[in-house]
Amino acid sequence: MSLVVQKFGGTSVADGEKILSAARKAVRAHQNGHQVIMVVSAMGKNTDMLVQMASEISEAPPAREMDMLLSTGEQVSVALMAMAIDSLGYQAVSLTGSQIGIKTDSSHTKARIQHISTERILSLLDQGNIVIAAGFQGIDENLNITTLGRGGSDTTAVALAAVLQAEACEIYTDVDGVYTTDPRILPEARLIATVNYDEMLELASLGAGVMHSRSIEFGKKFNVAIRVRSSLSDAFGSLIIDQAQTRELPVSGAALTPDEARISIRDVPDVPGTIYQLFLMLAEAKVTVDMIVQNVSDDGTADISFTVPRDEAEETFQALAPVVQALGGRMGKTDPDVSKVSVVGMGMATQVGVANRMFRALANANVSMQMITTSEIKISALVRRDQALSALRTVHAEFGLDTGATDTTSFSYEPTPQTQIDAADVVDRLQKTGMESLVIDDIVLDDTQARVTLTGVPNEPGIAAAVFDRVASNGIFVDMIVQSYADDRNADISFTVPAEQFDASLDVATKIQQEFECDGLNYKSQIAKLTVSGIGLRSHTGVAVEMFKALNEANINVDMINTSEVRVNVVVDGVQGQAGLKCLREQFASAMR
Ligand code: ADP
Ligand code: ASP
Ligand code: MG
């Protein structure tokens, strides 16, 4: 008999009527011969209300007690859901996280799932019950209640679908599926019929709140096809799968992370240990760092900028200031009024000229980019918060996301028997080592590229567009791009190109330097790009730190960095490529799958 998981979010169980309507969906699947597990969130804004209540009592409530409090939201809704099913004449049993046996680590309010017991659920299903599982919660080894982080019921649902080898995992919510961007922010957003795991991982972590990003990590690791659909209709929705892309558009979606802050560190020694010490400090403070950009310096010192969530800016500054001072550098001014606008798409990995299109469109809309970072399937730009919405609308339109014909015809997705066998194998193995533990797929060296850096570039709208228009029109394929923030007037722009296009790139850069009166130009004709790829690299903040640690011990300096959900890339001097590869392989030996 086939098994389906149906997850209902807060708005889909906000009142009695909605609970009954969700119950009917589960009953219908049951009548169609499926075994059904429902995963349910707290009703409506209940979790927000609980958070608010805690804040009225204490400025810093203990995390353990927050979990105790927040888990009650889901306990209410599972019980009501079981009563609803019962009232429809079917058998149901509700279970809390601990009753299911969802074992997590002890990091309260952001716990990770280690193991899920299946016996109780399976025996209840075999007795003809619809099983109703509380989302978002688990239990640690000392029987303390834990929660998985806001939005975590998605993760419970996909994790259950994974261990139970469910045929389907349906996420019922208040939109019809995954859109090209948040339809509440841009009404012109369109539904996407199928999304690849990697795209969804990036979109979710860059602000597309429709799915908890860790749920997509589970989907990818265990090959669970996830269907996101409306709880108010029977429309097909969107499918998140491991799909080979055949997209015409280079970009599949756009996202906005509105509340970011930019932190700048100045004049620290440009030696291998610096970046390691800084990021060790940040990892220990559990700050989520993004858009890390290091200027390639001429004078032996480096400036480093990165973004953090705005509400972590002050804490980050305080944690870093003493370390930076001890290193002989100083803290630059923090800018708390910035937002990150990103575009994501598998298509861009194989097409040229995507980045300059984005930069040109933003320049035409008079939006100035303070920082830029790219990875294989995403480009992010940091902009002033008051320009963020127009920046999002501009890039969304530039890539045709508001008009592109969206294929919403329903189709069924049949995983091949082979992938099911593989998934069973992975589930087995990871149940033993920790379901959400870090998985590294590969560590590779690319020593076929060169780097060009323009320093002291006047920071005005259109400058990045001019640079990369020129580069693209010369047929040069750009891989990594970073633009740092130096001060209000100047930026540094670095990019990597194939080594055989180095001479041509240098010619272009020299002309640009003269024309735009940039301070300087530096380059390396051979660089080594070292890539660690895996799943959930950003949520495992320690990965970048481990890389810096290993490189530091091997005395290798890092020139450029970029991070994404599935990859961390660092650029080092070409002659150190092999040594870098060796030390990273040793460092991550135990996390390789
Ligand atoms: P639930 O309570 O069902 O978990 P959420 O509020 O967590 O629902 O997620 C649904 C919301 O996600 C939508 O109402 C929408 O505003 C928002 N959202 C953000 N980005 C996207 C996107 N790219 N596609 C669809 N919805 C999005
Ligand atoms: N109720 C929890 C929250 O609001 C979990 C969830 O809805 O996914 O964050
Ligand atoms: Mg949600």
Side-chain angles (χ1 to χ4, degrees):
M1 190 186 263
S2 73
L3 195 151
V4 301
V5 173
Q6 297 185 331
K7 179 252 169 181
F8 292 86
T11 33
S12 309
V13 293
D15 55 39
E17 209 170 300
K18 293 209 169 104
I19 290 178
L20 277 163
S21 134
R24 279 188 213 102
K25 285 199 194 286
V27 164
R28 197 171 353 139
H30 184 80
Q31 286 169 334
N32 287 339
H34 300 291
Q35 293 191 318
V36 184
I37 297 156
M38 298 177 86
V39 175
V40 188
S41 292
M43 293 170 71
K45 300 252 173 263
N46 201 348
T47 311
D48 290 336
M49 269 162 47
L50 294 169
V51 170
Q52 173 63 27
M53 278 163 74
S55 74
E56 283 165 18
I57 305 271
S58 160
E59 247 176 50
R64 179 189 182 279
E65 304 312 328
M66 263 330 263
D67 281 351
M68 188 65 116
L69 180 68
L70 296 192
S71 67
T72 63
E74 272 69 13
Q75 196 169 334
V76 170
S77 47
V78 284
L80 294 173
M81 187 63 78
M83 293 174 195
I85 304 257
D86 177 75
S87 76
L88 296 173
Y90 290 81
Q91 268 171 252
V93 175
S94 64
L95 298 173
T96 62
S98 69
Q99 288 174 327
I100 302 168
I102 299 190
K103 297 263 165 53
T104 71
D105 63 17
S106 302
S107 38
H108 285 290
T109 74
K110 45 182 174 251
R112 284 177 180 281
I113 299 177
Q114 289 174 333
H115 185 271
I116 300 181
S117 317
T118 51
E119 301 79 27
R120 186 164 184 185
I121 296 182
L122 290 173
S123 93
L124 286 169
L125 289 171
D126 287 342
Q127 291 158 28
N129 292 290
I130 292 176
V131 172
I132 305 168
F136 170 62
Q137 53 179 262
I139 192 163
D140 78 358
E141 58 177 352
N142 298 317
L143 310 184
N144 295 301
I145 294 176
T146 53
T147 64
L148 310 180
R150 296 303 305 272
S153 296
D154 298 330
T155 295
T156 307
V158 182
L160 282 171
V163 283
L164 296 167
Q165 304 273 290
E167 179 182 301
C169 181
E170 301 186 316
I171 307 290
Y172 286 93
T173 182
D174 59 358
V175 273
D176 308 341
V178 178
Y179 278 68
T180 48
T181 196
D182 187 342
R184 273 182 223 282
I185 301 182
L186 290 192
E188 65 267 37
R190 299 175 63 93
L191 188 73
I192 320 178
T194 59
V195 195
N196 177 283
Y197 290 128
D198 286 357
E199 290 177 324
M200 194 66 228
L201 263 173
E202 294 297 348
L203 285 169
S205 86
L206 293 167
V210 63
M211 291 295 291
H212 194 230
S213 72
R214 277 163 49 199
S215 70
I216 313 299
E217 294 176 16
F218 269 105
K220 181 170 171 174
K221 253 187 215 168
F222 301 107
N223 218 334
V224 181
I226 303 166
R227 175 126 72 110
V228 183
R229 58 192 309 195
S230 167
S231 58
L232 300 173
S233 77
D234 285 326
F236 183 78
S238 305
L239 208 45
I240 307 170
I241 47 176
D242 178 18
Q243 166 191 283
Q245 293 293 299
T246 48
R247 288 198 201 290
E248 274 170 41
L249 296 175
V251 168
S252 306
L256 182 65
T257 320
D259 295 320
E260 295 276 284
R262 191 197 64 240
I263 309 267
S264 310
I265 297 168
R266 304 233 176 275
D267 304 331
V268 283
D270 186 18
V271 294
T274 300
I275 193 117
Y276 168 53
Q277 288 187 45
L278 294 173
F279 282 88
L280 181 62
M281 190 72 238
L282 292 169
E284 278 169 5
K286 293 221 162 29
V287 181
T288 355
V289 181
D290 193 27
M291 291 190 87
I292 310 161
V293 177
Q294 167 163 242
N295 292 4
V296 184
S297 66
D298 292 326
D299 63 353
T301 68
D303 292 347
I304 299 169
S305 314
F306 52 87
T307 56
V308 296
R310 179 158 65 153
D311 55 9
E312 292 176 20
E314 184 53 33
E315 170 194 348
T316 307
F317 189 96
Q318 298 303 342
L320 274 179
V323 187
V324 170
Q325 201 180 11
L327 288 167
R330 62 195 169 89
M331 295 299 292
K333 216 168 136 241
T334 298
D335 185 345
D337 296 315
V338 288
S339 303
K340 182 168 60 187
V341 177
S342 310
V343 296
V344 172
M346 299 295 285
M348 75 175 72
T350 51
Q351 296 188 26
V352 283
V354 182
N356 61 302
R357 245 177 99 182
M358 169 165 170
F359 303 156
R360 172 64 57 207
L362 289 174
N364 290 343
N366 222 10
V367 174
S368 163
M369 294 180 291
Q370 299 189 355
M371 282 167 71
I372 301 168
T373 55
T374 66
S375 80
E376 284 72 5
I377 64 162
K378 71 147 198 251
I379 305 167
S380 294
L382 195 70
V383 303
R384 280 195 350 235
R385 188 164 304 121
D386 59 1
Q387 295 190 320
L389 186 58
S390 85
L392 179 70
R393 175 161 282 135
T394 300
V395 296
H396 191 260
E398 172 63 30
F399 291 105
L401 300 180
D402 52 346
T403 53
T406 316
D407 175 17
T408 51
T409 49
S410 66
F411 67 93
S412 64
Y413 175 75
E414 296 285 341
T416 60
Q418 184 55 42
T419 61
Q420 279 176 340
I421 292 162
D422 287 353
D425 190 44
V426 180
V427 171
D428 236 34
R429 200 143 40 87
L430 285 179
Q431 279 271 44
K432 289 187 193 109
T433 55
M435 291 195 77
E436 282 198 78
S437 61
L438 178 65
V439 174
I440 303 282
D441 290 323
D442 213 357
I443 301 176
V444 294
L445 163 68
D446 169 4
D447 54 7
T448 64
Q449 296 196 58
R451 168 180 62 79
V452 177
T453 300
L454 284 158
T455 60
V457 183
N459 195 358
E460 55 201 45
I463 194 89
V467 172
F468 292 102
D469 274 351
R470 214 70 72 78
V471 169
S473 67
N474 279 273
I476 296 167
F477 186 87
V478 179
D479 178 16
M480 287 168 71
I481 298 176
V482 300
Q483 178 186 309
S484 67
Y485 172 89
D487 55 43
D488 285 339
R489 281 175 301 113
N490 285 301
D492 292 354
I493 298 180
S494 295
F495 55 96
T496 68
V497 295
E500 66 273 13
Q501 293 189 312
F502 173 65
D503 291 338
S505 309
L506 201 55
D507 278 351
V508 173
T510 308
K511 289 199 189 97
I512 292 170
Q513 185 201 356
Q514 288 159 359
E515 206 173 309
F516 292 93
E517 298 180 351
C518 310
D519 292 347
L521 176 63
N522 69 52
Y523 48 81
K524 262 186 195 151
S525 59
Q526 208 209 343
I527 57 163
K529 174 177 161 188
L530 292 160
T531 303
V532 173
S533 53
I535 298 174
L537 298 193
R538 247 203 315 219
S539 59
H540 285 271
T541 41
V543 175
V545 177
E546 293 284 298
M547 287 178 80
F548 299 147
K549 175 167 186 250
L551 293 167
N552 172 38
E553 280 161 8
N555 209 21
I556 297 174
N557 208 10
V558 174
D559 276 356
M560 283 169 84
I561 306 154
N562 74 21
T563 58
S564 71
E565 287 297 318
V566 291
R567 260 180 216 103
V568 180
N569 295 311
V570 297
V571 167
V572 304
D573 194 311
V575 298
Q576 292 181 307
Q578 287 298 342
L581 182 65
K582 183 162 169 281
C583 76
L584 291 179
R585 290 219 160 121
E586 283 165 11
Q587 188 76 18
F588 289 106
S590 64
M592 296 284 285
R593 59 161 143 202

